Amino acid sequence: MARRRGGVRLVGALLCTGALLATASGPVTAADVSRQGQGASALQGDVLRPLDDVLDPPVQVRMDNGANNRTVDSAIQRGVDSNVYVWGRTGRGIDGVYSADTIGPRDREWPRQVEGLPEGNIRAVTAGIYNFNALDYDGHVWGWGAYSAARDGTDSVQDRDGRLGCIGMSVQPERLRVGSAWNGSGELLSGVQQISSTEMAGAALTGDGSVYRWGRAEYGGNPGVGDGCSKNPVGAQKVEGLPDPSIPGNRPVYLKGGYKTFWVLLENGDVYYWGGASTYERPRTPEGGTGDATGTQHVAQRSTVLNDWNRTNSPGAYIVQLDSGINLGGALLSDGRVLTWGTNAGRVGGRLPDDSKAATLRAARAPGVLPNVSGVVALQYTFTGAAMITSDGALYGYGDDSYECFPKWPGKATFCGGASYETVPGLLDTGVVSFSVGQGHIRWTKQVADSTTSSGLGYETWGQGYNPRGAIGHPVGTVKTKRLVEFQTAKKEPCTESRCDLEALLQGR
């Protein structure tokens, strides 16, 4: 991976703002690391074997290709200048500037730099529905946003100017502390290597293998924390229940926030989770049993269902990414296959018939391999759909009642009344180099011919789905089929100013 301070380029992962993967010496490469034929044999039942049988090399994960932001009507991304940019809904403190809870001119906005973050020093950014966190190169986490400071971990009754940081008000970016609000006495959360978000909570993985969380309890945040002003701010707190990371094989290498559930992958291949869950956000057993624990889990739990599936069905491959939405989820295997699970056949990508038979529902709620797509290198989940990209740049999507206008069933029109697809997942585009999802939209970048550049190549940004405030450009309104992401001035004329040039801000020219 190439990196230059003040202008970082993530090779093969231009939109990597969901969970940035790194080791103590630098980011993990996107290479598919083999288990050297050991498969899942390092696991024996629910107990680890002796340490000399730990996988060699330890499990390594692929770099997230896209940004798993849980925003609905905003889009946020780190630029090539290592600053953070946001567009669509940018008021209410989303752009780092205090504003009351009113709809104003900054609610259908072109890209603007988030104010209050360290200039040119941001390594990654992640987003909940209206609250945000950024990771700087010094290993500190910043939080800001709208409605509740508890969601982003700053957890303060007041912002810097003495205004309330409660529902309806905003807090400018501040660094998170362990056990207190940003202006409290707790130590700064430091040594962070990865960050991720559910819809209303955040989490961080540090260099020593510790995992911290903040935000609303039922979304994976701290127990007892809701919205509003905190009388007893708790800031970031360590997640309990994970094995000792100092023991070889137990070190977390991947952190990912779904809709309400956080997922952690250890270097020995084990999957853990904590947080809340929509009913089938976590997988069940094929026999129709309860599977992984339902409801809010404050203590991290080992995923019996996923670990058992991997041992039994796929000893030659292992999980490298996980994600989940409302009543659906999935995992990427090291051989490019995808596991899916969900409420019904409509939420598992067409791997089951379109019916409501008891056997079909049981099969949908248990992990199963997605058909029709192979060679997948990254996947991301939205509210009720999923997107994935293959090694040759093909972008696919599927969904059930999907805001993103993804296909639901083979040969049928999308939820939005757009084109019909012969298979599910349906092919959205080709030549794609990166993609990013929100709760109801998808945005992707593709490489195109461009005679104005020295290389003869350039980039275009495309989008599709729910778009009430311009997260995928103007004009606003649901985008039923893919279109270029472009912006308009207040007079609804094409914006040709540099601030509207996404490719220059995010990819460089």
Side-chain angles (χ1 to χ4, degrees):
M1 173 179 296
R3 171 183 141 177
R4 63 176 187 272
R5 188 62 178 267
V8 174
R9 174 59 59 88
L10 301 178
V11 177
L14 299 179
L15 297 185
C16 181
T17 58
L20 183 66
L21 311 180
T23 64
S25 60
V28 174
T29 69
D32 180 7
V33 180
S34 134
R35 275 187 163 180
Q36 297 184 339
Q38 294 191 48
S41 60
L43 299 175
Q44 194 173 53
D46 290 336
V47 181
L48 283 174
R49 285 186 178 184
L51 298 184
D52 58 358
D53 282 346
V54 170
L55 300 177
D56 184 21
V59 170
Q60 295 189 32
V61 296
R62 294 171 177 156
M63 181 70 76
D64 269 321
N65 181 277
N68 194 182
N69 294 326
R70 298 292 171 182
T71 56
V72 171
D73 38 23
S74 303
I76 191 165
Q77 192 170 320
R78 173 185 165 278
V80 294
D81 58 359
S82 296
N83 293 310
V84 177
Y85 294 88
V86 64
W87 60 95
R89 174 172 285 179
T90 60
R92 299 172 173 80
I94 291 172
D95 59 359
V97 179
Y98 171 86
S99 63
D101 188 20
T102 57
I103 295 178
R106 297 211 311 278
D107 280 314
R108 294 184 181 181
E109 187 63 275
W110 43 80
R112 57 190 300 123
Q113 184 177 337
V114 173
E115 299 185 26
L117 293 170
E119 181 72 22
N121 194 37
I122 299 302
R123 184 179 182 184
V125 62
T126 185
I129 186 169
Y130 292 119
N131 292 74
F132 308 88
N133 291 109
L135 172 62
D136 66 27
Y137 279 107
D138 300 314
H140 296 133
V141 179
W142 296 72
W144 74 98
Y147 294 109
S148 170
R151 295 182 189 175
D152 58 51
T154 51
D155 211 15
S156 176
V157 175
Q158 291 185 322
D159 69 9
R160 286 191 301 235
D161 299 325
R163 290 176 287 232
L164 290 176
C166 312
I167 296 175
M169 308 296 250
S170 68
V171 178
Q172 294 98 325
E174 295 290 354
R175 289 182 295 181
L176 272 63
R177 294 182 179 272
V178 178
S180 77
W182 69 267
N183 54 357
S185 58
E187 294 184 359
L188 287 172
L189 179 59
S190 60
V192 174
Q193 295 184 343
Q194 298 180 36
I195 55 175
S196 195
S197 300
T198 60
E199 187 174 81
M200 297 187 189
L205 171 60
T206 65
D208 66 1
S210 299
V211 179
Y212 290 83
R213 65 182 171 198
W214 54 89
R216 286 185 61 172
E218 67 269 37
Y219 288 83
N222 291 314
V225 174
D227 277 339
C229 294
S230 299
K231 295 181 179 179
N232 299 297
V234 295
Q237 297 282 333
K238 186 176 288 188
V239 176
E240 298 179 354
L242 293 169
D244 183 354
S246 67
I247 297 176
N250 284 355
R251 191 180 190 85
V253 294
Y254 181 77
L255 168 68
K256 193 65 170 64
Y259 172 56
K260 287 187 173 182
T261 294
F262 279 104
W263 302 94
V264 170
L265 178 64
L266 306 186
E267 62 183 358
N268 65 16
D270 266 6
V271 175
Y272 278 76
Y273 64 89
W274 84 89
S278 53
T279 307
Y280 296 102
E281 185 173 353
R282 301 172 193 147
R284 304 295 177 91
T285 62
E287 298 78 20
T290 57
D292 289 341
T294 58
T296 300
Q297 302 295 316
H298 298 307
V299 176
Q301 309 287 322
R302 185 173 178 271
S303 175
T304 303
V305 175
L306 289 174
N307 293 319
D308 284 353
W309 189 96
N310 212 160
R311 281 202 309 277
T312 303
N313 298 283
S314 188
Y318 58 97
I319 292 173
V320 293
Q321 289 181 16
L322 299 115
D323 203 357
S324 53
I326 299 177
N327 291 323
L328 79 169
L332 174 62
L333 299 175
S334 57
D335 59 7
R337 293 179 299 156
V338 174
L339 296 181
T340 66
W341 59 87
T343 307
N344 52 44
R347 299 201 178 196
V348 296
R351 64 177 173 86
L352 295 167
D354 182 7
D355 63 45
S356 299
K357 295 178 180 179
T360 300
L361 296 180
R362 285 197 301 271
R365 294 162 187 176
V369 175
L370 187 68
N372 306 321
V373 176
S374 60
V376 175
V377 295
L379 79 162
Q380 302 285 342
Y381 276 68
T382 65
F383 261 142
T384 56
M388 58 202 71
I389 189 172
T390 63
S391 57
D392 60 358
L395 181 66
Y396 292 86
Y398 73 86
D400 183 25
D401 298 333
S402 171
Y403 283 85
E404 302 80 18
C405 304
F406 290 158
K408 178 178 179 180
W409 299 111
K412 294 184 179 181
T414 68
F415 173 75
C416 301
S420 176
Y421 294 81
E422 293 303 319
T423 62
V424 173
L427 179 64
L428 302 178
D429 210 342
T430 58
V432 178
V433 296
S434 57
F435 71 104
S436 175
V437 304
Q439 289 289 51
H441 61 268
I442 180 172
R443 190 179 70 255
W444 63 93
T445 299
K446 56 187 300 182
Q447 199 167 51
V448 296
D450 187 346
S451 60
T452 65
T453 66
S454 58
S455 65
L457 296 172
Y459 298 97
E460 289 180 346
T461 303
W462 291 69
Q464 182 173 302
Y466 186 62
N467 188 44
R469 295 288 185 265
I472 49 177
H474 300 151
V476 298
T478 298
V479 181
K480 296 183 178 181
T481 57
K482 64 182 181 182
R483 75 175 187 195
L484 278 170
V485 176
E486 299 175 309
F487 298 94
Q488 297 176 344
T489 66
K491 297 181 179 180
K492 295 186 177 182
E493 298 172 347
C495 179
T496 58
E497 301 176 35
S498 59
R499 62 183 176 180
C500 297
D501 190 341
L502 273 184
E503 284 69 41
L505 293 174
L506 306 181
Q507 275 78 49
R509 288 187 182 275

